[in-house]
Amino acid sequence: MDVVTTWFPTLVGAALVLFILRDVFHTLWHPTRHGGLSRLVMRSAWRFSGLRRVPWRPAGLSGPVGMMGVVAFWSLTMAVGWALVYWPHMPEDFSYASGLTPAEHAGPGDALYYSLVTLATLGLGDIAPTSGWLRVLAPMEALIGFALLSATVAWMLGIYPALARRRALALRLSHVRRSRAGAQAFDSAGGAALLDSLASGIATITVDFLQYAESYYFFDGDENTSLPRQLGHAAELADRAAQAGHPDVRLSATVLHTALEDLATVLDERFLRTGGSPQQVFAAYATDHGRP
């Protein structure tokens, strides 16, 4: 191969690997809007499952399937990237096990096979690099594969506690709504404490949406544990409490209003893009989750 034929695929493969590493970094370790690839996969899975008028609504699978899709896309794209790095240098810079003819095992499929084996840290040894710089790159790919596996497990283990917190807050709001407590009951120190606990829970959920944006794409079928269904009641509580006579209740209502505004800002900037008031954002959030 000439210089262009040899190094062009290598540079393209290196660019693919760096692109995936950047996306992994911004998704798992530095959650920002720059993790574009993972957000695109999760959003596509959510939109694809958006048959809101179907009773069994497949959106319940969109979150887990979307996360599996993200991990699969990361792994396969990274494997292809490393394969493009190896392929132009096969078979000259590789050694082969006895029984393998180098000229017959130097195609793109063989490069992808070696890349997958290395990324998965299997180390079968039937094909191995002999060139100095390739002997350094192969262990680097194995280390990246191990780090990707570990990070993916940590990512998944972090998502589900965030979902549990969201559902617990929704259930607490549902308890308050179903208790049918009158205005007089809320106009007390106990009412102020309740509002404070709700504001604290909403602040926690706001942070969860920032840290684990993928949690937005998990659907809750039970309306009592569905935050989109219950958020409207939290706003009503804050409005009612703002008119209370007890000063602590009015202060707690102000804090709850602020917490709701912060949550609406995060939901709108990251997911909904309505540009509207908190009430409009929460309505759009409920509609997007099949809870109009």
Side-chain angles (χ1 to χ4, degrees), residues 113-140:
Y113 159 76
Y114 175 71
S115 176
L116 286 169
V117 167
T118 306
L119 188 67
T121 67
L122 295 178
L124 298 182
D126 51 346
I127 303 176
T130 56
S131 178
W133 67 279
L134 286 174
R135 292 177 66 188
V136 173
L137 281 183
M140 286 180 59

PDB file of all heavy atoms in Angstrom, residues 113-140:
ATOM      1  N   TYR A 113     -12.394  -8.356  13.495  1.00  0.00           N
ATOM      2  CA  TYR A 113     -12.339  -9.481  14.447  1.00  0.00           C
ATOM      3  C   TYR A 113     -11.277  -9.223  15.507  1.00  0.00           C
ATOM      4  O   TYR A 113     -11.538  -9.364  16.712  1.00  0.00           O
ATOM      5  CB  TYR A 113     -12.050 -10.778  13.690  1.00  0.00           C
ATOM      6  CG  TYR A 113     -11.485 -11.884  14.555  1.00  0.00           C
ATOM      7  CD1 TYR A 113     -12.302 -12.607  15.418  1.00  0.00           C
ATOM      8  CD2 TYR A 113     -10.119 -12.183  14.516  1.00  0.00           C
ATOM      9  CE1 TYR A 113     -11.784 -13.608  16.222  1.00  0.00           C
ATOM     10  CE2 TYR A 113      -9.595 -13.180  15.326  1.00  0.00           C
ATOM     11  CZ  TYR A 113     -10.418 -13.895  16.174  1.00  0.00           C
ATOM     12  OH  TYR A 113      -9.900 -14.880  16.970  1.00  0.00           O
ATOM     13  N   TYR A 114     -10.071  -8.834  15.076  1.00  0.00           N
ATOM     14  CA  TYR A 114      -9.003  -8.586  16.041  1.00  0.00           C
ATOM     15  C   TYR A 114      -9.357  -7.415  16.963  1.00  0.00           C
ATOM     16  O   TYR A 114      -9.093  -7.455  18.171  1.00  0.00           O
ATOM     17  CB  TYR A 114      -7.689  -8.292  15.306  1.00  0.00           C
ATOM     18  CG  TYR A 114      -6.577  -7.921  16.249  1.00  0.00           C
ATOM     19  CD1 TYR A 114      -6.001  -8.875  17.078  1.00  0.00           C
ATOM     20  CD2 TYR A 114      -6.137  -6.603  16.349  1.00  0.00           C
ATOM     21  CE1 TYR A 114      -5.000  -8.535  17.972  1.00  0.00           C
ATOM     22  CE2 TYR A 114      -5.142  -6.258  17.244  1.00  0.00           C
ATOM     23  CZ  TYR A 114      -4.577  -7.216  18.050  1.00  0.00           C
ATOM     24  OH  TYR A 114      -3.590  -6.879  18.946  1.00  0.00           O
ATOM     25  N   SER A 115      -9.993  -6.391  16.391  1.00  0.00           N
ATOM     26  CA  SER A 115     -10.384  -5.231  17.203  1.00  0.00           C
ATOM     27  C   SER A 115     -11.411  -5.617  18.256  1.00  0.00           C
ATOM     28  O   SER A 115     -11.299  -5.216  19.422  1.00  0.00           O
ATOM     29  CB  SER A 115     -10.940  -4.130  16.295  1.00  0.00           C
ATOM     30  OG  SER A 115     -11.406  -3.036  17.049  1.00  0.00           O
ATOM     31  N   LEU A 116     -12.405  -6.424  17.882  1.00  0.00           N
ATOM     32  CA  LEU A 116     -13.432  -6.846  18.835  1.00  0.00           C
ATOM     33  C   LEU A 116     -12.835  -7.720  19.938  1.00  0.00           C
ATOM     34  O   LEU A 116     -13.181  -7.569  21.117  1.00  0.00           O
ATOM     35  CB  LEU A 116     -14.541  -7.604  18.105  1.00  0.00           C
ATOM     36  CG  LEU A 116     -15.495  -6.762  17.260  1.00  0.00           C
ATOM     37  CD1 LEU A 116     -16.374  -7.655  16.390  1.00  0.00           C
ATOM     38  CD2 LEU A 116     -16.369  -5.885  18.152  1.00  0.00           C
ATOM     39  N   VAL A 117     -11.945  -8.621  19.560  1.00  0.00           N
ATOM     40  CA  VAL A 117     -11.306  -9.492  20.552  1.00  0.00           C
ATOM     41  C   VAL A 117     -10.497  -8.658  21.543  1.00  0.00           C
ATOM     42  O   VAL A 117     -10.524  -8.891  22.758  1.00  0.00           O
ATOM     43  CB  VAL A 117     -10.415 -10.530  19.848  1.00  0.00           C
ATOM     44  CG1 VAL A 117      -9.502 -11.220  20.851  1.00  0.00           C
ATOM     45  CG2 VAL A 117     -11.273 -11.562  19.137  1.00  0.00           C
ATOM     46  N   THR A 118      -9.803  -7.655  21.023  1.00  0.00           N
ATOM     47  CA  THR A 118      -8.977  -6.816  21.896  1.00  0.00           C
ATOM     48  C   THR A 118      -9.842  -5.916  22.766  1.00  0.00           C
ATOM     49  O   THR A 118      -9.587  -5.773  23.967  1.00  0.00           O
ATOM     50  CB  THR A 118      -8.012  -5.957  21.047  1.00  0.00           C
ATOM     51  OG1 THR A 118      -7.261  -6.818  20.182  1.00  0.00           O
ATOM     52  CG2 THR A 118      -7.071  -5.167  21.930  1.00  0.00           C
ATOM     53  N   LEU A 119     -10.875  -5.303  22.183  1.00  0.00           N
ATOM     54  CA  LEU A 119     -11.751  -4.405  22.935  1.00  0.00           C
ATOM     55  C   LEU A 119     -12.456  -5.157  24.064  1.00  0.00           C
ATOM     56  O   LEU A 119     -12.659  -4.612  25.146  1.00  0.00           O
ATOM     57  CB  LEU A 119     -12.782  -3.760  21.998  1.00  0.00           C
ATOM     58  CG  LEU A 119     -13.651  -2.653  22.574  1.00  0.00           C
ATOM     59  CD1 LEU A 119     -12.813  -1.424  22.914  1.00  0.00           C
ATOM     60  CD2 LEU A 119     -14.761  -2.276  21.596  1.00  0.00           C
ATOM     61  N   ALA A 120     -12.813  -6.402  23.794  1.00  0.00           N
ATOM     62  CA  ALA A 120     -13.488  -7.223  24.809  1.00  0.00           C
ATOM     63  C   ALA A 120     -12.505  -7.846  25.794  1.00  0.00           C
ATOM     64  O   ALA A 120     -12.921  -8.604  26.676  1.00  0.00           O
ATOM     65  CB  ALA A 120     -14.305  -8.316  24.140  1.00  0.00           C
ATOM     66  N   THR A 121     -11.221  -7.539  25.645  1.00  0.00           N
ATOM     67  CA  THR A 121     -10.141  -8.049  26.516  1.00  0.00           C
ATOM     68  C   THR A 121     -10.113  -9.573  26.559  1.00  0.00           C
ATOM     69  O   THR A 121      -9.784 -10.161  27.592  1.00  0.00           O
ATOM     70  CB  THR A 121     -10.252  -7.482  27.953  1.00  0.00           C
ATOM     71  OG1 THR A 121     -11.429  -8.000  28.575  1.00  0.00           O
ATOM     72  CG2 THR A 121     -10.299  -5.961  27.955  1.00  0.00           C
ATOM     73  N   LEU A 122     -10.430 -10.221  25.415  1.00  0.00           N
ATOM     74  CA  LEU A 122     -10.389 -11.685  25.373  1.00  0.00           C
ATOM     75  C   LEU A 122      -8.966 -12.196  25.194  1.00  0.00           C
ATOM     76  O   LEU A 122      -8.587 -13.209  25.770  1.00  0.00           O
ATOM     77  CB  LEU A 122     -11.285 -12.201  24.241  1.00  0.00           C
ATOM     78  CG  LEU A 122     -12.784 -11.920  24.395  1.00  0.00           C
ATOM     79  CD1 LEU A 122     -13.548 -12.436  23.185  1.00  0.00           C
ATOM     80  CD2 LEU A 122     -13.310 -12.570  25.663  1.00  0.00           C
ATOM     81  N   GLY A 123      -8.177 -11.496  24.334  1.00  0.00           N
ATOM     82  CA  GLY A 123      -6.779 -11.879  24.148  1.00  0.00           C
ATOM     83  C   GLY A 123      -6.590 -13.298  23.650  1.00  0.00           C
ATOM     84  O   GLY A 123      -5.861 -14.081  24.262  1.00  0.00           O
ATOM     85  N   LEU A 124      -7.221 -13.674  22.528  1.00  0.00           N
ATOM     86  CA  LEU A 124      -7.130 -15.049  22.040  1.00  0.00           C
ATOM     87  C   LEU A 124      -5.736 -15.391  21.528  1.00  0.00           C
ATOM     88  O   LEU A 124      -5.310 -16.536  21.606  1.00  0.00           O
ATOM     89  CB  LEU A 124      -8.163 -15.270  20.927  1.00  0.00           C
ATOM     90  CG  LEU A 124      -9.632 -15.087  21.354  1.00  0.00           C
ATOM     91  CD1 LEU A 124     -10.557 -15.368  20.182  1.00  0.00           C
ATOM     92  CD2 LEU A 124      -9.962 -15.996  22.521  1.00  0.00           C
ATOM     93  N   GLY A 125      -5.025 -14.410  20.975  1.00  0.00           N
ATOM     94  CA  GLY A 125      -3.638 -14.628  20.595  1.00  0.00           C
ATOM     95  C   GLY A 125      -3.417 -15.226  19.228  1.00  0.00           C
ATOM     96  O   GLY A 125      -2.267 -15.470  18.845  1.00  0.00           O
ATOM     97  N   ASP A 126      -4.492 -15.527  18.455  1.00  0.00           N
ATOM     98  CA  ASP A 126      -4.278 -16.090  17.124  1.00  0.00           C
ATOM     99  C   ASP A 126      -3.745 -15.060  16.143  1.00  0.00           C
ATOM    100  O   ASP A 126      -3.098 -15.402  15.156  1.00  0.00           O
ATOM    101  CB  ASP A 126      -5.559 -16.724  16.589  1.00  0.00           C
ATOM    102  CG  ASP A 126      -6.750 -15.778  16.677  1.00  0.00           C
ATOM    103  OD1 ASP A 126      -6.654 -14.745  17.375  1.00  0.00           O
ATOM    104  OD2 ASP A 126      -7.791 -16.067  16.057  1.00  0.00           O
ATOM    105  N   ILE A 127      -4.025 -13.779  16.396  1.00  0.00           N
ATOM    106  CA  ILE A 127      -3.469 -12.684  15.617  1.00  0.00           C
ATOM    107  C   ILE A 127      -2.900 -11.681  16.610  1.00  0.00           C
ATOM    108  O   ILE A 127      -3.573 -11.317  17.582  1.00  0.00           O
ATOM    109  CB  ILE A 127      -4.531 -11.998  14.725  1.00  0.00           C
ATOM    110  CG1 ILE A 127      -5.178 -13.013  13.782  1.00  0.00           C
ATOM    111  CG2 ILE A 127      -3.922 -10.852  13.938  1.00  0.00           C
ATOM    112  CD1 ILE A 127      -6.303 -12.440  12.931  1.00  0.00           C
ATOM    113  N   ALA A 128      -1.685 -11.235  16.393  1.00  0.00           N
ATOM    114  CA  ALA A 128      -1.047 -10.319  17.339  1.00  0.00           C
ATOM    115  C   ALA A 128      -0.148  -9.347  16.573  1.00  0.00           C
ATOM    116  O   ALA A 128       0.481  -9.730  15.584  1.00  0.00           O
ATOM    117  CB  ALA A 128      -0.225 -11.080  18.373  1.00  0.00           C
ATOM    118  N   PRO A 129      -0.094  -8.086  17.021  1.00  0.00           N
ATOM    119  CA  PRO A 129       0.768  -7.115  16.344  1.00  0.00           C
ATOM    120  C   PRO A 129       2.236  -7.374  16.666  1.00  0.00           C
ATOM    121  O   PRO A 129       2.585  -7.817  17.766  1.00  0.00           O
ATOM    122  CB  PRO A 129       0.303  -5.774  16.914  1.00  0.00           C
ATOM    123  CG  PRO A 129      -0.250  -6.107  18.261  1.00  0.00           C
ATOM    124  CD  PRO A 129      -0.839  -7.484  18.132  1.00  0.00           C
ATOM    125  N   THR A 130       3.092  -7.087  15.691  1.00  0.00           N
ATOM    126  CA  THR A 130       4.531  -7.226  15.889  1.00  0.00           C
ATOM    127  C   THR A 130       5.250  -5.891  15.793  1.00  0.00           C
ATOM    128  O   THR A 130       6.348  -5.746  16.328  1.00  0.00           O
ATOM    129  CB  THR A 130       5.130  -8.195  14.856  1.00  0.00           C
ATOM    130  OG1 THR A 130       4.817  -7.742  13.529  1.00  0.00           O
ATOM    131  CG2 THR A 130       4.570  -9.599  15.055  1.00  0.00           C
ATOM    132  N   SER A 131       4.650  -4.914  15.115  1.00  0.00           N
ATOM    133  CA  SER A 131       5.261  -3.588  15.000  1.00  0.00           C
ATOM    134  C   SER A 131       5.212  -2.881  16.348  1.00  0.00           C
ATOM    135  O   SER A 131       4.254  -3.031  17.113  1.00  0.00           O
ATOM    136  CB  SER A 131       4.521  -2.760  13.952  1.00  0.00           C
ATOM    137  OG  SER A 131       5.063  -1.457  13.861  1.00  0.00           O
ATOM    138  N   GLY A 132       6.260  -2.091  16.650  1.00  0.00           N
ATOM    139  CA  GLY A 132       6.382  -1.476  17.973  1.00  0.00           C
ATOM    140  C   GLY A 132       5.206  -0.635  18.366  1.00  0.00           C
ATOM    141  O   GLY A 132       4.636  -0.812  19.456  1.00  0.00           O
ATOM    142  N   TRP A 133       4.762   0.289  17.496  1.00  0.00           N
ATOM    143  CA  TRP A 133       3.678   1.195  17.884  1.00  0.00           C
ATOM    144  C   TRP A 133       2.342   0.474  17.940  1.00  0.00           C
ATOM    145  O   TRP A 133       1.487   0.823  18.753  1.00  0.00           O
ATOM    146  CB  TRP A 133       3.621   2.389  16.928  1.00  0.00           C
ATOM    147  CG  TRP A 133       3.208   2.059  15.518  1.00  0.00           C
ATOM    148  CD1 TRP A 133       3.992   1.560  14.537  1.00  0.00           C
ATOM    149  CD2 TRP A 133       1.901   2.225  14.961  1.00  0.00           C
ATOM    150  NE1 TRP A 133       3.271   1.382  13.383  1.00  0.00           N
ATOM    151  CE2 TRP A 133       1.977   1.795  13.622  1.00  0.00           C
ATOM    152  CE3 TRP A 133       0.682   2.683  15.450  1.00  0.00           C
ATOM    153  CZ2 TRP A 133       0.880   1.814  12.763  1.00  0.00           C
ATOM    154  CZ3 TRP A 133      -0.415   2.711  14.608  1.00  0.00           C
ATOM    155  CH2 TRP A 133      -0.307   2.278  13.277  1.00  0.00           C
ATOM    156  N   LEU A 134       2.142  -0.556  17.111  1.00  0.00           N
ATOM    157  CA  LEU A 134       0.901  -1.330  17.196  1.00  0.00           C
ATOM    158  C   LEU A 134       0.856  -2.169  18.472  1.00  0.00           C
ATOM    159  O   LEU A 134      -0.208  -2.402  19.038  1.00  0.00           O
ATOM    160  CB  LEU A 134       0.769  -2.236  15.965  1.00  0.00           C
ATOM    161  CG  LEU A 134       0.403  -1.539  14.651  1.00  0.00           C
ATOM    162  CD1 LEU A 134       0.458  -2.523  13.494  1.00  0.00           C
ATOM    163  CD2 LEU A 134      -0.971  -0.891  14.739  1.00  0.00           C
ATOM    164  N   ARG A 135       2.020  -2.618  18.934  1.00  0.00           N
ATOM    165  CA  ARG A 135       2.061  -3.387  20.185  1.00  0.00           C
ATOM    166  C   ARG A 135       1.707  -2.509  21.388  1.00  0.00           C
ATOM    167  O   ARG A 135       1.309  -3.015  22.435  1.00  0.00           O
ATOM    168  CB  ARG A 135       3.450  -3.982  20.367  1.00  0.00           C
ATOM    169  CG  ARG A 135       3.784  -5.066  19.349  1.00  0.00           C
ATOM    170  CD  ARG A 135       5.193  -5.575  19.531  1.00  0.00           C
ATOM    171  NE  ARG A 135       5.337  -6.265  20.793  1.00  0.00           N
ATOM    172  CZ  ARG A 135       6.510  -6.675  21.272  1.00  0.00           C
ATOM    173  NH1 ARG A 135       7.625  -6.434  20.602  1.00  0.00           N
ATOM    174  NH2 ARG A 135       6.571  -7.323  22.423  1.00  0.00           N
ATOM    175  N   VAL A 136       1.851  -1.207  21.238  1.00  0.00           N
ATOM    176  CA  VAL A 136       1.431  -0.287  22.294  1.00  0.00           C
ATOM    177  C   VAL A 136      -0.055   0.020  22.176  1.00  0.00           C
ATOM    178  O   VAL A 136      -0.776   0.099  23.173  1.00  0.00           O
ATOM    179  CB  VAL A 136       2.258   1.014  22.230  1.00  0.00           C
ATOM    180  CG1 VAL A 136       1.717   2.044  23.220  1.00  0.00           C
ATOM    181  CG2 VAL A 136       3.724   0.729  22.515  1.00  0.00           C
ATOM    182  N   LEU A 137      -0.550   0.170  20.936  1.00  0.00           N
ATOM    183  CA  LEU A 137      -1.956   0.522  20.733  1.00  0.00           C
ATOM    184  C   LEU A 137      -2.908  -0.586  21.176  1.00  0.00           C
ATOM    185  O   LEU A 137      -3.975  -0.311  21.717  1.00  0.00           O
ATOM    186  CB  LEU A 137      -2.206   0.853  19.259  1.00  0.00           C
ATOM    187  CG  LEU A 137      -1.788   2.236  18.773  1.00  0.00           C
ATOM    188  CD1 LEU A 137      -2.183   2.417  17.316  1.00  0.00           C
ATOM    189  CD2 LEU A 137      -2.431   3.323  19.624  1.00  0.00           C
ATOM    190  N   ALA A 138      -2.535  -1.830  20.910  1.00  0.00           N
ATOM    191  CA  ALA A 138      -3.450  -2.937  21.243  1.00  0.00           C
ATOM    192  C   ALA A 138      -3.770  -2.996  22.738  1.00  0.00           C
ATOM    193  O   ALA A 138      -4.951  -3.100  23.118  1.00  0.00           O
ATOM    194  CB  ALA A 138      -2.864  -4.258  20.754  1.00  0.00           C
ATOM    195  N   PRO A 139      -2.790  -2.924  23.637  1.00  0.00           N
ATOM    196  CA  PRO A 139      -3.146  -2.869  25.064  1.00  0.00           C
ATOM    197  C   PRO A 139      -3.958  -1.626  25.429  1.00  0.00           C
ATOM    198  O   PRO A 139      -4.803  -1.693  26.335  1.00  0.00           O
ATOM    199  CB  PRO A 139      -1.778  -2.860  25.759  1.00  0.00           C
ATOM    200  CG  PRO A 139      -0.847  -3.482  24.795  1.00  0.00           C
ATOM    201  CD  PRO A 139      -1.335  -3.063  23.447  1.00  0.00           C
ATOM    202  N   MET A 140      -3.703  -0.517  24.726  1.00  0.00           N
ATOM    203  CA  MET A 140      -4.499   0.688  24.990  1.00  0.00           C
ATOM    204  C   MET A 140      -5.965   0.439  24.655  1.00  0.00           C
ATOM    205  O   MET A 140      -6.863   0.857  25.385  1.00  0.00           O
ATOM    206  CB  MET A 140      -3.958   1.870  24.188  1.00  0.00           C
ATOM    207  CG  MET A 140      -2.663   2.449  24.711  1.00  0.00           C
ATOM    208  SD  MET A 140      -2.083   3.843  23.729  1.00  0.00           S
ATOM    209  CE  MET A 140      -3.466   4.968  23.894  1.00  0.00           C
TER     210      MET A 140
END
